[in-house]
mmCIF file of all heavy atoms in Angstrom:
data_model
loop_
_atom_site.group_PDB
_atom_site.id
_atom_site.type_symbol
_atom_site.label_atom_id
_atom_site.label_comp_id
_atom_site.label_asym_id
_atom_site.label_seq_id
_atom_site.Cartn_x
_atom_site.Cartn_y
_atom_site.Cartn_z
ATOM 1 N N ASN U 1056 158.939 48.035 103.972
ATOM 2 C CA ASN U 1056 160.262 47.596 103.677
ATOM 3 C C ASN U 1056 161.229 47.419 104.837
ATOM 4 O O ASN U 1056 161.720 46.357 105.181
ATOM 5 C CB ASN U 1056 161.114 48.401 102.708
ATOM 6 C CG ASN U 1056 162.547 47.858 102.388
ATOM 7 O OD1 ASN U 1056 162.647 46.695 102.017
ATOM 8 N ND2 ASN U 1056 163.533 48.710 102.481
ATOM 9 N N LYS U 1356 160.116 71.805 155.704
ATOM 10 C CA LYS U 1356 159.909 70.354 155.902
ATOM 11 C C LYS U 1356 159.670 69.625 154.687
ATOM 12 O O LYS U 1356 160.219 68.663 154.384
ATOM 13 C CB LYS U 1356 158.946 70.085 157.043
ATOM 14 C CG LYS U 1356 158.714 68.639 157.270
ATOM 15 C CD LYS U 1356 157.722 68.310 158.291
ATOM 16 C CE LYS U 1356 157.743 66.953 158.730
ATOM 17 N NZ LYS U 1356 157.678 65.945 157.644
ATOM 18 N N LYS U 1376 165.923 46.841 146.555
ATOM 19 C CA LYS U 1376 166.139 46.186 145.424
ATOM 20 C C LYS U 1376 165.371 44.721 145.296
ATOM 21 O O LYS U 1376 165.143 44.169 146.390
ATOM 22 C CB LYS U 1376 167.523 45.931 145.107
ATOM 23 C CG LYS U 1376 168.442 47.152 144.930
ATOM 24 C CD LYS U 1376 168.185 47.688 143.483
ATOM 25 C CE LYS U 1376 169.000 48.979 143.087
ATOM 26 N NZ LYS U 1376 170.333 48.748 143.024
#
Side-chain angles (χ1 to χ4, degrees):
N1056 183 48
K1356 186 177 185 311
K1376 291 290 182 66

